[in-house]
Amino acid sequence: GIQVEQSPPDLILQEGANSTLRCNFSDSVNNLQWFHQNPWGQLINLFYIPSGTKQNGRLSATTVATERYSLLYISSSQTTDSGVYFCAVERGGKIIFGKGTRLHILP
Amino acid sequence: EAQVTQNPRYLITVTGKKLTVTCSQNMNHEYMSWYRQDPGLGLRQIYYSMNVEVTDKGDVPEGYKVSRKEKRNFPLILESPSPNQTSLYFCASSRTGSFNSPLHFGNGTRLTVT
């Protein structure tokens, strides 16, 4: 089946820094979404982004479907950005998640 | 408020005792699905449903059952729980089944099987 790999697995940054999280997938996919799991365990949808670029405040995402990767950019990090970021793809009705990038933002 | 509601939030049970985790959404979503989250493994899909009376296996369906008799409800049933089903479970829904609309998650159910 399709493989979804995220990098880096862990990232520690100072408040105010910028970061780029990567999601690679092994085969063509129909759609891709990014999620944030906060320290309390809640999963929040960030972006639906099958291709192109989208921005929402300090967060933006880019998907290059032909090269099978997506990037999530976080600018001017805040402590509330801490948590785990997941990408997920869909193939034939099934949804496959990557293992996530754990982000720690230090005050 | 639009939401996905799971119950219970925490559940401790013993091996072999049948249990049901409920999931309900109030957004008239067609697609509903269940996931388990384990350390180092991320989220893995257990079952999904494209619409009422339509369910399909995800990547880890063994030991679980689901039903979709009404659009808003999608319960997860463990007929004979075992310790390897100790996990954090999430229910999710979206407007359509093609992953082209945002997936909304419930707050999770932490299950411990002793």
Side-chain angles (χ1 to χ4, degrees):
Chain A
I2 191 168
Q3 305 296 315
V4 180
E5 295 184 358
Q6 292 186 242
S7 60
D10 292 279
L11 190 56
I12 302 173
L13 297 172
Q14 207 69 39
E15 198 169 24
N18 301 329
S19 59
T20 300
L21 282 57
R22 188 176 180 103
C23 172
N24 292 334
F25 38 97
S26 61
D27 205 344
S28 61
V29 297
N30 297 325
N31 289 301
L32 184 145
Q33 297 189 21
W34 282 95
F35 300 86
H36 175 220
Q37 187 171 35
N38 65 26
W40 296 271
Q42 293 177 312
L43 281 154
I44 307 297
N45 189 286
L46 297 176
F47 292 103
Y48 156 66
I49 184 158
S51 63
T53 298
K54 288 187 177 179
Q55 181 154 7
N56 184 2
R58 296 180 295 103
L59 273 61
S60 64
T62 295
T63 297
V64 184
T66 53
E67 297 187 21
R68 299 178 187 168
Y69 73 89
S70 183
L71 302 173
L72 179 69
Y73 305 96
I74 305 173
S75 64
S76 304
S77 298
Q78 301 176 358
T79 56
T80 52
D81 295 330
S82 294
V84 184
Y85 291 81
F86 293 100
C87 65
V89 302
E90 182 266 341
R91 191 77 184 273
K94 289 185 179 182
I95 296 174
I96 302 102
F97 280 78
K99 294 183 179 179
T101 291
R102 184 174 296 275
L103 179 63
H104 298 273
I105 304 298
L106 304 174
Chain B
E1 180 188 351
Q3 59 186 359
V4 179
T5 303
Q6 289 179 234
N7 280 298
R9 289 294 310 275
Y10 301 92
L11 181 57
I12 301 174
T13 190
V14 296
T15 299
K17 186 175 181 181
K18 180 179 178 180
L19 65 91
T20 299
V21 184
T22 63
C23 176
S24 179
Q25 50 91 7
N26 62 0
M27 296 169 279
N28 201 36
H29 283 174
E30 290 187 350
Y31 185 90
M32 297 186 75
S33 53
W34 277 101
Y35 305 83
R36 61 177 289 172
Q37 184 176 21
D38 301 290
L41 297 178
L43 287 118
R44 295 177 292 168
Q45 192 177 49
I46 302 171
Y47 270 96
Y48 62 98
S49 170
M50 291 287 198
N51 214 324
V52 176
E53 301 293 0
V54 180
T55 62
D56 277 295
K57 296 177 180 179
D59 283 334
V60 287
E62 295 78 19
Y64 305 94
K65 285 177 58 177
V66 293
S67 68
R68 188 93 182 272
K69 297 178 182 176
E70 312 165 272
K71 199 170 189 178
R72 63 182 293 129
N73 295 323
F74 191 46
L76 180 69
I77 303 159
L78 284 72
E79 295 265 2
S80 183
S82 62
N84 64 12
Q85 293 179 297
T86 292
S87 187
L88 178 59
Y89 291 86
F90 287 97
C91 178
S93 73
S94 63
R95 185 172 51 82
T96 69
S98 51
F99 209 43
N100 60 3
S101 58
L103 191 64
H104 298 269
F105 281 88
N107 285 331
T109 295
R110 187 166 293 281
L111 172 65
T112 302
V113 183
T114 62

